[in-house]
Amino acid sequence: MSMREVATPSFEGQKPGTSGLRKKVTVFQQPGYLESFVQAVFDCAPELQGGTLVLGGDGRFFNRNAIQTILRMAAANGIDRVLVGQGGILSTPAASAVIRRHRARGGLVLSASHNPGGPDGDFGIKYNIANGGPAPEAVTEAIYRRTQTIRQYRIVDADPVDLDQIGSRKIGTMTVTVIDPVDDYAMLLGGLFDFDAIRALLARKDFRFRFDAMHAVTGPYARRLLVEMLGAPASSVVNAVPLEDFGGGHPDPNPVYAPELYKAAVLDGELDFAAASDGDGDRNMILGKGIAVTPSDSLAVLAANATLAPGYARGISGVARSMPTSRAPDAVARALKIECFETPTGWKFFGNLLDAGRITLCGEESYGTSSDHVREKDGLWAVLFWLNLLAARPGETVLSILQAHWKRYGRHYYSRHDYEAVDAGQATEALNQLRAALPALPGQKIGGLVITAADDFAYRDPVDGSESKGQGLRVICGEQARLIARLSGTGTEGATVRLYFELYEADPAKQADDVQTRLQPLIDFAEAQTGLRKITGRAAPDVIT
Ligand code: VG1
Ligand code: CO
């Protein structure tokens, strides 16, 4: 077995975004592109030498090729053992669970999450550290700096490993162990929820249930947990076979990209509970009969009801939400007298708070929720949590649970408007207009509400003191309303502008379901301040969630 050092150009733009490095598959297919980035990771993570690395992905096109390359590079870089999911599969939360359970020193998760896959789609790679979570900013920045100077990568020559065969084999002195991708994860979730109660709920004839895996990674996980362990009919898990191109779909669980599920549950009322997950299994959409649960509300409801699930029966230490997520969880934290943190967008900012035990639950408006059981967001975890909740509150529905929640805590009307693949210059121009206006905004009014603060969000990590600036423009009307604008850090084409709107309504008599109408003054104000539609010539957002 010979180790080779292969010369490589350093590639432009290998800067990890909100969640790892994401590029078109064709970009990753350039000779040396994947290798340069992976070598930069190995160079910046010397702790991997002599230790265990976890490796797997969401099964999208290029996943298997990338895994074979990474295995040969791991052997050349002194890694002792690699745990790889069978078939190259590991959902993002499962990878996190495997890293933690097997005390691995890190993991490489191959996914572009909710971005479309296939030869013309996207690919991605993310480095997770020993706590099972995404590498913090200091690490991703170091990796980026390394990609700019790298000149060679290390690799051994070896035959491809049979990824479909469970068991161990050697590449040189390195052990490659192909593991069942579901076992560790299923065992972990089994200890958190009341499986007997959920089984009884799913067995009821009058409880109509469906989970949509969107032909992405959660198929095998959902089958094991929902069908095999909890007895749901096999037919209730749809699109359960992971496909390299997700069946041509956009594996993003929201009303726009999962329209059939949305129609069945929300519009037609044919389902009592429905859920979907994304490409790599870390997102969740929760639907009930006639109602789509806003992700921010979902986090708030789970926090308020956490003690109903056995794994959280002793209560939660605190909650955290990303800055653009609505302040619904804050209201619950106040009532529970626990800490509530506001972090920048992206799961990597929750890691320190979870490690320090300051928070138990956290989430984002982008259909991400999870807890301290892993260090990633976890789609099926949220689904099981909601099922546990429904089982523990007999006679109630998703809608009645939400209405009771709003009655007690008030309702945070919420919506996100995305303008996708906008010209990068135009997107910057629009945001710069708002940025320039910020200092003069306090004191002005939006539809009768007084602006109390306007800034560019900066975060100081309460655990390690690290600072992150430029995390999104905020216009705040006290506790009543907020408008936020930021650029996406996960896209691969042009720029995506995200506008977030939040309005608080305390009076239960005024909590009708007219979200966009309620938010209209904020929407109009955003356009007036950014000029986004005028600058881009777009009449409306591409996606409204
Ligand atoms: C988006 C979401 C963010 C999420 C990230 C990764 O990032 O807004 O909340 O953490 O995707 O999710 P951005 O920078 O495009 O707004 V996943 O499921 O794509 O890994
Ligand atoms: Co994802």
Side-chain angles (χ1 to χ4, degrees):
M1 175 95 16
S2 59
M3 195 265 273
R4 289 188 290 132
E5 300 219 326
V6 182
T8 179
S10 47
F11 292 87
E12 291 268 297
Q14 291 196 324
K15 188 176 171 60
T18 311
S19 179
L21 181 70
R22 290 190 193 171
K23 299 285 173 193
K24 293 273 168 220
V25 165
T26 47
V27 172
F28 268 103
Q29 284 170 327
Q30 297 171 83
Y33 190 92
L34 171 74
E35 291 86 343
S36 291
F37 185 78
V38 171
Q39 187 63 53
V41 172
F42 288 155
D43 290 350
C44 294
E47 67 273 17
L48 292 174
Q49 284 169 34
T52 298
L53 174 79
V54 170
L55 180 60
D58 62 13
R60 67 178 61 221
F61 185 80
F62 198 59
N63 191 50
R64 283 174 179 261
N65 304 42
I67 286 177
Q68 297 293 353
T69 302
I70 294 169
L71 285 173
R72 289 163 52 212
M73 289 184 65
N77 278 277
I79 284 153
D80 183 51
R81 187 170 66 133
V82 179
L83 299 176
V84 46
Q86 186 180 26
I89 292 286
L90 275 177
S91 77
T92 288
S96 188
V98 172
I99 292 171
R100 294 168 68 79
R101 170 131 205 276
H102 297 272
R103 298 186 191 286
R105 305 226 178 122
L108 287 168
V109 184
L110 309 177
S111 171
S113 188
H114 56 286
N115 300 19
D120 302 319
D122 290 350
F123 191 73
I125 179 164
K126 187 171 62 152
Y127 179 58
N128 282 26
I129 58 175
N131 74 353
E137 264 195 339
V139 177
T140 56
E141 304 252 311
I143 293 170
Y144 176 51
R145 278 197 301 278
R146 181 70 189 126
T147 64
Q148 293 169 311
T149 57
I150 207 154
R151 293 286 174 270
Q152 53 202 13
Y153 62 86
R154 286 191 282 280
I155 194 161
V156 300
D157 294 316
D159 290 335
V161 169
D162 181 354
L163 296 175
D164 297 309
Q165 202 64 43
I166 300 253
S168 294
R169 63 228 67 174
K170 292 270 186 187
I171 298 182
T173 56
M174 184 182 85
T175 306
V176 179
T177 304
V178 175
I179 60 168
D180 182 286
V182 185
D183 283 350
D184 291 320
Y185 176 76
M187 203 193 326
L188 181 63
L189 291 197
L192 297 177
F193 301 111
D194 186 344
F195 270 44
D196 289 338
I198 299 176
R199 200 175 294 116
L201 174 73
L202 290 171
R204 269 174 32 194
K205 288 275 178 294
D206 61 345
F207 188 75
R208 298 159 305 170
F209 164 75
R210 189 181 301 164
F211 177 82
D212 189 341
M214 302 188 85
H215 285 305
V217 80
T218 42
Y221 296 89
R223 278 201 174 138
R224 173 80 66 84
L225 283 158
L226 297 168
V227 180
E228 290 170 33
M229 294 169 72
L230 289 165
S235 60
S236 64
V237 178
V238 301
N239 300 322
V241 179
L243 299 176
E244 285 199 329
D245 66 350
F246 309 119
H250 204 131
D252 198 353
N254 63 40
V256 178
Y257 291 125
E260 284 172 21
L261 193 72
Y262 181 81
K263 181 171 183 293
V266 181
L267 303 181
D268 298 344
E270 289 167 0
L271 298 167
D272 297 292
F273 184 79
S277 191
D278 71 331
D280 61 332
D282 57 0
R283 295 188 178 207
N284 72 90
M285 174 172 68
I286 303 293
L287 306 173
K289 184 179 171 186
I291 179 85
V293 182
T294 304
S296 306
D297 279 347
S298 178
L299 174 61
V301 168
L302 296 185
N305 293 277
T307 53
L308 296 178
Y312 307 93
R314 285 178 309 159
I316 54 176
S317 65
V319 292
R321 59 164 174 82
S322 67
M323 183 273 283
T325 302
S326 98
R327 293 176 289 184
D330 305 34
V332 175
R334 270 195 299 278
L336 293 175
K337 298 191 170 56
I338 55 173
E339 282 193 294
C340 180
F341 299 88
E342 180 175 56
T343 58
T345 295
W347 212 262
K348 55 176 169 270
F349 295 101
F350 294 133
N352 278 346
L353 295 168
L354 290 163
D355 284 352
R358 300 279 291 269
I359 59 169
T360 308
L361 301 188
C362 48
E364 298 189 273
E365 52 68 39
S366 53
Y367 297 85
T369 0
S370 193
S371 85
D372 58 0
H373 69 295
V374 287
R375 292 292 179 274
E376 286 280 6
K377 53 186 186 262
D378 189 345
L380 276 164
W381 171 89
V383 176
L384 294 186
F385 210 143
W386 267 95
L387 286 170
N388 196 144
L389 193 58
L390 288 164
R393 289 174 62 164
E396 294 202 60
T397 63
V398 174
L399 180 61
S400 74
I401 287 174
L402 274 175
Q403 285 172 336
H405 187 92
W406 295 331
K407 193 170 174 201
R408 172 155 184 207
Y409 298 98
R411 178 169 183 182
H412 289 79
Y413 285 89
Y414 190 81
S415 182
R416 179 175 112 181
H417 291 191
D418 292 337
Y419 292 78
E420 296 182 336
V422 171
D423 172 80
Q426 293 181 345
T428 308
E429 187 188 338
L431 287 196
N432 280 348
Q433 283 207 29
L434 173 58
R435 187 177 287 108
L438 291 175
L441 290 183
Q444 291 189 32
K445 284 187 172 177
I446 307 178
L449 299 173
V450 180
I451 298 173
T452 53
D455 65 3
D456 192 347
F457 180 58
Y459 178 67
R460 187 166 189 278
D461 185 300
V463 179
D464 68 12
S466 57
E467 310 243 5
S468 305
K469 294 195 173 121
Q471 297 294 327
L473 307 179
R474 311 190 286 182
V475 180
I476 304 168
C477 302
E479 293 298 318
Q480 291 303 308
R482 287 191 310 161
L483 143 65
I484 290 140
R486 58 178 283 279
L487 289 180
S488 156
T490 56
T492 59
E493 253 178 78
T496 290
V497 181
R498 304 202 194 286
L499 302 176
Y500 312 78
F501 308 102
E502 173 194 327
L503 181 75
Y504 181 65
E505 176 58 70
D507 183 354
K510 295 184 189 153
Q511 290 174 350
D513 213 20
D514 49 354
V515 182
Q516 299 299 323
T517 315
R518 285 293 188 102
L519 298 173
Q520 198 60 47
L522 291 160
I523 296 167
D524 293 342
F525 188 83
E527 177 57 22
Q529 296 297 325
T530 62
L532 181 62
R533 293 185 192 181
K534 206 184 310 152
I535 291 169
T536 58
R538 306 268 180 108
D542 298 281
V543 178
I544 295 180
T545 52

